[in-house]
Amino acid sequence: MKARFAAILSLLGAGFIAGIGTTIFLELGLYDLSALSPHNELERQLIMFLKNNAIEYQSGDIKAPALNDRERIKKGFALYEVQCKVCHGAPGEPRGRVSTGLNPNPPPLFKADDHWSSGELGWIIQNGLKMAGMPGVGIGQTDDDIWNIVSYVKRMNTLSVAEYKAMKKALKDGVDPPGLEWEFPEEGWKKLKNYSASEGKVLLKKLGCASCHSIPGIKAQNTHAGPSLKEWKNRHFIAGQVANYPKSLVKWLMHPEKIDPTTLMPNLDVTEEQAWKMSAYLMSLEE
Amino acid sequence: MLVKIIVIFFMAGCQVKQVDTLEVLPGATSIERGKRLTFSYGCAVCHEISGINDYPGNIGPSLVNWGKQKYIAGAVPNRMPELILWLKNPQAIQKNSAMPNLNMTEEEASDIATYLYSQ
């Protein structure tokens, strides 16, 4: 009985001191309000935790319509260019001056499709996010407009810089340049499953890839001529030009000069079969 | 936990000083200014960078141990003048690069480069 009384009393005491402490802290104006100063790591983790959970819960039952639709993506692209690019940027294009210096930094959306479901994306765009500077874009627009934006945001997941430039030209000229695909491309994840990552690893070793790139699992004298391939699956761009998915990775490994004519990465004469195997290993590199 | 949160808030608060100038970090070194600018320009939303966590951080290559890297964008040698040029205008080096031109000043680029090499 006495122990319980002491426990309650000390809890109350701790609460009281914490309350007074917080009041003094706020009263004196000690909270670092400058947007140019990053949140400390604890604040940042709390915000991410809150954001992920609230969005997952609150968007719970939203059903998205069919989104891989040429007209939808086209309309969504036009809306994104006017309303979203100013904060989220585009392949090779920065966010605008007004949003530089925002805290939190608005993320680029190339990877949004990996992180959120279509319903969650719809919810975020429709409602915006309190305290993050993300406006509720749903104001003044139809649900269909929102789904059009979602469909383009999902297309950004595979969008190359060249395709983006072609889309801009299409919007400006009113006609599609030849070869422009608006729909989501075939990424090749299913096909990748047919190839052995361990055979790919042997090939990467044999071709000496690790003498220029740091590659987890392969030891070599590394000259750091190329970027690290650590957690390669999570990386978005290949050579800063095309999005990273199995089919584009295979193309890069076979003909890097076709994707980036000035690259120092050599064409190593790999066959398509070999390129798929190496891709299987590289795409197995996750956290 | 509650006490920990409050203590951390206090520690964050202790860095706040009254100032008499518009300079963001008066008297700071180039590395300190570079670190702030690297955060504010959102470099870490695209790159893994030591000392700055941002989301998602995996759009472009990792810049951890940047000083060891031989080339910039697989195109030019990794040295101070080339890095400053890259930061000010990536497309001047790599026409189709997905890295945006962030419209920064020469001084800002120089501070950011100094921070990257200090890693």
Side-chain angles (χ1 to χ4, degrees):
Chain A
M1 193 60 205
K2 219 174 177 182
R4 190 185 291 174
F5 185 69
I8 291 176
L9 205 69
S10 46
L11 259 179
L12 280 174
F16 185 69
I17 292 170
I20 297 219
T22 312
T23 311
I24 295 175
F25 173 73
L26 296 175
E27 175 72 33
L28 290 179
L30 290 180
Y31 183 77
D32 187 350
L33 201 59
S34 166
L36 299 181
S37 150
H39 287 298
N40 68 49
E41 192 54 21
L42 184 84
E43 278 177 288
R44 208 181 71 85
Q45 295 290 344
L46 277 175
I47 294 167
M48 299 281 274
F49 184 63
L50 180 150
K51 172 177 124 178
N52 287 333
N53 293 328
I55 293 169
E56 186 184 336
Y57 176 66
Q58 289 168 43
S59 65
D61 287 330
I62 302 178
K63 298 272 176 296
L67 295 174
N68 189 10
D69 175 275
R70 193 191 141 78
E71 284 314 306
R72 252 196 204 296
I73 296 170
K74 234 175 146 161
K75 286 182 190 155
F77 171 71
L79 291 170
Y80 182 96
E81 284 290 295
V82 177
Q83 301 180 16
C84 317
K85 193 166 101 176
V86 61
C87 285
H88 294 286
E93 291 193 15
R95 53 180 160 161
R97 181 50 84 195
V98 279
S99 70
T100 305
L102 259 184
N103 186 351
N105 284 302
L109 302 182
F110 309 119
K111 289 228 153 268
D113 184 45
D114 295 342
H115 192 84
W116 307 106
S117 69
S118 301
E120 286 168 340
L121 286 172
W123 188 93
I124 296 168
I125 296 169
Q126 174 83 3
N127 291 281
L129 302 170
K130 245 181 223 169
M131 299 178 286
M134 168 75 191
V137 174
I139 286 295
Q141 305 199 79
T142 65
D143 289 1
D144 231 27
D145 292 332
I146 300 300
W147 290 122
N148 292 343
I149 299 175
V150 172
S151 67
Y152 174 65
V153 167
K154 290 172 78 75
R155 177 65 174 87
M156 285 179 92
N157 197 248
T158 49
L159 195 63
S160 69
V161 177
E163 283 174 321
Y164 170 68
K165 287 185 175 162
M167 286 182 175
K168 263 177 66 165
K169 191 163 158 41
L171 185 67
K172 189 163 143 260
D173 299 348
V175 279
D176 289 3
L180 172 58
E181 303 278 359
W182 287 93
E183 291 93 342
F184 309 159
E186 171 64 44
E187 295 176 42
W189 290 105
K190 233 167 145 185
K191 180 166 176 185
L192 190 71
K193 291 212 180 92
N194 303 327
Y195 295 91
S196 146
S198 53
E199 285 177 39
K201 185 175 174 181
V202 172
L203 279 165
L204 288 161
K205 214 170 181 167
K206 213 172 87 192
L207 290 170
C209 308
S211 64
C212 289
H213 300 279
S214 116
I215 308 178
I218 302 179
K219 278 214 185 74
Q221 194 73 2
N222 183 359
T223 60
H224 300 277
S228 159
L229 306 184
K230 186 175 64 105
E231 293 168 26
W232 175 257
K233 187 181 183 221
N234 304 334
R235 181 77 55 73
H236 187 71
F237 280 109
I238 301 175
Q241 321 252 332
V242 297
N244 175 29
Y245 51 90
K247 273 192 146 175
S248 60
L249 184 56
V250 165
K251 191 170 163 203
W252 169 257
L253 295 175
M254 291 175 70
H255 301 291
E257 74 291 345
K258 280 194 184 160
I259 287 174
D260 178 358
T262 59
T263 184
L264 290 167
M265 160 112 169
N267 182 327
L268 294 166
D269 275 327
V270 298
T271 65
E272 184 169 350
E273 169 96 10
Q274 290 173 326
W276 276 98
K277 286 178 182 166
M278 290 192 275
S279 300
Y281 183 70
L282 293 175
M283 290 299 196
S284 75
L285 302 174
E286 285 182 82
E287 258 176 288
Chain B
M1 179 70 186
L2 182 68
V3 174
K4 196 174 155 203
I5 290 176
I6 287 161
V7 168
I8 289 188
F9 259 74
F10 272 117
M11 279 164 36
C14 291
Q15 297 162 7
V16 179
K17 290 198 242 34
Q18 282 181 300
V19 291
D20 55 8
T21 157
L22 270 183
E23 254 180 273
V24 176
L25 293 172
T29 63
S30 178
I31 295 180
E32 287 162 342
R33 283 196 307 271
K35 185 173 182 187
R36 271 296 170 89
L37 289 164
T38 304
F39 164 74
S40 293
Y41 270 110
C43 312
V45 301
C46 287
H47 298 284
E48 183 190 13
I49 300 177
S50 328
I52 304 171
N53 289 323
D54 218 332
Y55 172 83
N58 53 7
I59 307 297
S62 165
L63 304 182
V64 171
N65 289 326
W66 174 248
K68 276 199 190 154
Q69 203 64 33
K70 252 203 174 133
Y71 300 102
I72 301 170
V76 295
N78 180 17
R79 293 180 300 226
M80 192 63 149
E82 283 85 354
L83 182 56
I84 290 176
L85 180 63
W86 171 259
L87 294 176
K88 285 177 65 189
N89 187 359
Q91 282 68 28
I93 288 173
Q94 187 75 264
K95 194 166 119 279
N96 263 328
S97 182
M99 159 117 173
N101 177 339
L102 294 161
N103 299 310
M104 62 179 75
T105 66
E106 178 85 21
E107 293 73 46
E108 289 174 327
S110 162
D111 286 341
I112 292 176
T114 307
Y115 179 66
L116 291 183
Y117 285 127
S118 78
Q119 291 309 289

